[in-house]
Amino acid sequence: MLISAHSNPVRSFPRQLSAKPPQQAPTEQAPGPVSDSIELSAAPSPQAKHDSAPAAMAATGGAIGGAMGQAFKLLMMGPPGSGKSTQGKVVAAERGIPHISTGSLLRAEVEAGTELGKEIDGYMSRGEMVPDEIVATVLKKRLEQDDTKDGYVLDGFPRTMPQLPTYDEMFPEGMSVIAIDVADDEIRRRLLARGRKDDTPEVIERRIQVYKEETAPLVAEFERRGVLTRVDGNGSVDETRERVREAIQD
Ligand code: AMP
């Protein structure tokens, strides 16, 4: 068994996966690129938010999704190549909610060829983080769409500790988190096989390093808050899918 019954908020998800017929999840893409001007409301200081968020989590018993008309919100985390997007899309499709990936939203912006897209492309093609303001603006715009009202599977945000205050501000009730663990060698093998634009050997190493330095502390923080379930993602897509299902249903 992956998790203890008492410590895992994901367990409070209702057993609905098989009750609802699979359907096509709405697309994760934004309807169009965001404008080139970035406006963000000032976020509270990282420390203030950092301290208050766990208390808020404890008060709500962690983030719960899907029960009695509540929106189902799940955050997928994991290193590049962990299958977090593949698995997140499956969960979203089964529940008929959108899969919202910041990586995909940013790539859409690049493909649109806007000035902002060109700036984003510079960071992404080096395997570096895109500036927080840009990511938050693109994500906020996507979350304003109507299809998010029943919930969503979020993928790719937050990705760094400095993004945590913005996350806490955007999602005051928080949400359950699944982190998919995969060994570094398996990550390398998968990404080289995938061959996306940012999947060259040098960029892969950089992204693995960036994940360890910048995202892993966030995984630890969600673990500390008691909202995170780890899932072994070293096996096949089907094996991981079953583990993710167990984590949500149990
Ligand atoms: P992914 O599709 O999740 O692998 O993300 C691809 C790339 O998008 C990352 O390597 C980053 O350059 C960028 N990216 C995605 N999400 C974020 C985020 N929350 N903060 C900064 N950069 C991001």
Side-chain angles (χ1 to χ4, degrees), residues 78-81 84-85 101-104 106-107 120 123-132 135-136 139 155-160 163 194 196 198 203 207 210:
K84 69 181 160 64
S85 299
S101 149
T102 49
S104 296
L106 294 168
R107 277 188 288 280
I120 292 170
Y123 296 101
M124 290 181 84
S125 55
R126 292 190 296 270
E128 289 170 10
M129 295 289 179
V130 173
D132 298 349
V135 179
L139 178 59
D155 172 352
F157 184 87
R159 209 156 170 135
T160 65
Q163 289 178 358
R194 184 171 75 176
R196 208 170 70 190
D198 54 349
V203 176
R207 285 164 62 212
V210 166

Side-chain angles (χ1 to χ4, degrees), residues 11-89:
R11 280 178 178 263
S12 54
F13 284 144
R15 295 170 184 272
Q16 282 181 347
L17 282 180
S18 55
K20 199 165 186 181
Q23 38 184 303
Q24 188 59 48
T27 162
E28 65 194 26
Q29 306 296 350
V34 301
S35 83
D36 285 357
S37 69
I38 300 296
E39 275 181 45
L40 262 195
S41 59
S45 83
Q47 193 53 46
K49 272 293 182 180
H50 185 83
D51 287 341
S52 63
M57 288 293 171
T60 59
I64 305 167
M68 298 295 285
Q70 256 185 311
F72 177 101
K73 294 178 188 170
L74 175 67
L75 171 61
M76 298 295 292
M77 298 190 77
S82 60
K84 69 181 160 64
S85 299
T86 304
Q87 301 300 339
K89 282 177 192 165

